[in-house]
Amino acid sequence: MTTETTNSKGKETMRDWLLTETPTSRRHAKLASAYKSWLRLRSNHMAMFGLGILVLLGFVAAFAPWLAPYDPYAQVLSDRLLPIGSEGHLLGTDSLGRDILSRLIYGSRITLYIVTLVALIAPVAGLMVGTIAGYAGGWTDTILMRITDIFLAFPKLVLALAFVAALGAGIENAVLAISLTAWPPYARLARAETLTIRSSDFISAIRLQGAGPVRIITRHIWPLCISSLIVRVTLDMAGIILTAAGLGFLGLGAQPPSPEWGAMISEGRRFLLDHWWVATIPGLAIFTVSLAFNLLGDGLRDVLDPKDGAS
């Protein structure tokens, strides 16, 4: 009993320390803010549902060799187009007798690979362009924003198709093409944040202390733009997945026999009326992951909203 009471008190003390309104240090303040944000996110059941799906996706991708019952590339023509629930094939097989569940599991790796690379490239590029344009102003702002407008004038998928056609088919070129079409909204968002921040009193004080433009942008403006970009990135993940799947569907993304979900739908469309599961199951996977990102992004928007006094 004594040990349990002590442990219980220790947990309560840590919680009280994190929920205090008077932090004792900068590190304490950051930890307290992060914990309060987590509590707000945890109270949003739909956001937690989306987070759970994404955690499961990451688990499946990480342990794909152990979770997949078959080699995703192995062809058994005698088992072609087996229906859902067939013995040894829970989700059936495709036109070449390959196990759909195994291909779905390995396809999660490709999806996370594309999402991760685009999330690392596009927001960083947009943040750099937007903050430089917003802080510098003048002709620099005009030139950078007109370039941004040119990219925004074309539909993302059409522009991605043009880049992939020029670069050549392949998953790396698809990632590069999606990144080239995804950065302009982040640049616009970062520029709007920078225009608001650059006239603030604390920026003027920092400038009077001798800080140069590079230090002001990287140390003081970027951190204030991060929360808005995180929310935008999370909400854009669904569109990125759909664009990648669209490129795969058209044969310009991951190439056969790669188990990419869009390519699986493309292959299964020929059998949609008689063998619907071949195309429907990877379509449901894309839908589920896209929905998860949207739910999580909606929850993060509520948590990271700088205008919400409760955050």
Side-chain angles (χ1 to χ4, degrees), residues 114-115 118 156-157 160 178 181-182 186 232-247 286 289-291 293-294:
I114 294 173
V115 165
V118 174
K156 286 186 178 181
L157 183 57
I178 295 172
T181 61
Y186 304 114
R232 181 64 191 252
V233 168
T234 310
L235 291 172
D236 283 351
M237 286 299 101
I240 291 171
I241 292 173
L242 292 174
T243 302
L247 293 176
I286 294 173
V289 175
S290 300
L291 177 64
F293 273 114
N294 278 331

Side-chain angles (χ1 to χ4, degrees), residues 49-61:
F49 177 70
L51 179 61
I53 292 176
L54 296 179
V55 170
L56 178 61
L57 178 70
F59 175 83
V60 169

Side-chain angles (χ1 to χ4, degrees), residues 126-291:
L127 179 64
M128 294 178 62
V129 172
T131 50
I132 291 173
Y135 186 80
W139 63 267
T140 303
D141 182 25
T142 301
I143 292 176
L144 291 177
M145 285 302 100
R146 295 299 76 78
I147 295 174
T148 303
D149 290 339
I150 292 173
F151 279 86
L152 288 173
F154 297 93
K156 286 186 178 181
L157 183 57
V158 174
L159 195 58
L161 287 172
F163 280 122
V164 173
L167 298 172
I171 190 169
E172 288 79 13
N173 289 339
V175 169
L176 181 59
I178 295 172
S179 300
L180 288 173
T181 61
W183 68 267
Y186 304 114
R188 280 291 186 184
L189 181 61
R191 176 180 179 271
E193 296 275 359
T194 304
L195 289 175
T196 304
I197 297 169
R198 73 173 184 179
S199 57
S200 301
D201 293 339
F202 80 94
I203 294 294
S204 301
I206 295 167
R207 193 181 294 113
L208 289 174
Q209 292 175 0
V214 175
R215 181 179 178 85
I216 292 175
I217 291 174
T218 57
R219 298 293 299 274
H220 301 283
I221 295 180
W222 279 6
L224 295 177
C225 297
I226 293 298
S227 61
S228 299
L229 286 180
I230 290 175
V231 174
R232 181 64 191 252
V233 168
T234 310
L235 291 172
D236 283 351
M237 286 299 101
I240 291 171
I241 292 173
L242 292 174
T243 302
L247 293 176
F249 181 86
L250 296 172
L252 297 174
Q255 297 299 295
S258 178
E260 197 270 329
W261 293 346
M264 291 174 66
I265 296 175
S266 178
E267 181 189 354
R269 77 184 190 277
R270 296 177 296 163
F271 314 99
L272 191 58
L273 295 180
D274 298 324
H275 310 284
W276 55 268
W277 59 89
V278 180
T280 302
I281 291 175
L284 287 175
I286 294 173
F287 166 78
T288 302
V289 175
S290 300
L291 177 64

